[in-house]
Amino acid sequence: MDLNQARFNMIEQQIRPWEVLDPNVLALLSTVRREDFAPLAHKALAFVDMEIPLGSAPNQVMLAPRVQARMLQDLAVRATDKVLDIGTGSGFMAALLGHQAASVLSLEVDHALAAQAQTNLQKAGVTNVTVRQADGSQGAAADGPFDAILLSGSVAEVPAVLLQQLSIGGRLVAIVGDEPMMRTTLITRNGENSWSTTEPWDCNAPRLSGFAEPSRFKF
């Protein structure tokens, strides 16, 4: 398998057609080795348009390349940003964020995944990402505020506690809603008590662990 050709095909056939045109994001995807963050058993699937299983639970996955790329583009990370990444998984998104930001704190509830992600990041030479085994649904208020927060999975709704951890001008990107129609949601904090929201594109993704599901009971 020609990995460089597979990477090129992933970018040209999956990612560009999904309106990911930011040259910085495309350059990152060309240089950060996605295959090094895929489990050994699934390394051949690293560039395929699919979610890659990471652990024993069905929601433990590496999101499809086009989804990760477009979320990264929407978050618009700057070199001075402090970033919170929720749902580390294999560490690939944390690595991409680390190349763009000043620092990244990445939270992963599963101990084994957190340890593997830390190993993957060290091997890749990414030194400004800290992986912490923790429930990401409450964020990390003591380490904030954050200029950007990324949720690498879906939630029924974005917890208010995370919005409070954004700096003024900070952005949060998450996949919100229920199947069959979830929306990728970009929330920007405009002031102390002011946020604006856009929903630029549809995308389904497995649930992040630990986030509350609102009651569906109705009289």
Side-chain angles (χ1 to χ4, degrees), residues 24 26 30 42 53-54 62 76 84 101 113 126 151 168 209:
N24 294 320
L26 295 174
S30 296
H42 301 300
L54 294 176
M62 192 174 181
L84 178 64
L113 282 182
V126 181
L151 277 60
I168 306 300
S209 299

Side-chain angles (χ1 to χ4, degrees), residues 13 24 83 153 197:
Q13 297 171 12
N24 294 320
V83 178
T197 301

Side-chain angles (χ1 to χ4, degrees), residues 49-98:
D49 183 18
M50 64 176 288
E51 293 164 357
I52 299 176
L54 294 176
S56 55
N59 68 328
Q60 292 176 338
V61 300
M62 192 174 181
L63 293 176
R66 58 189 170 89
V67 174
Q68 291 185 313
R70 193 155 177 191
M71 292 178 81
L72 188 66
Q73 177 175 267
D74 286 357
L75 198 60
V77 176
R78 298 177 293 253
T80 54
D81 282 351
K82 179 194 288 190
V83 178
L84 178 64
D85 172 41
I86 299 176
T88 314
S90 68
F92 181 63
M93 181 61 90
L96 295 173
L97 291 167

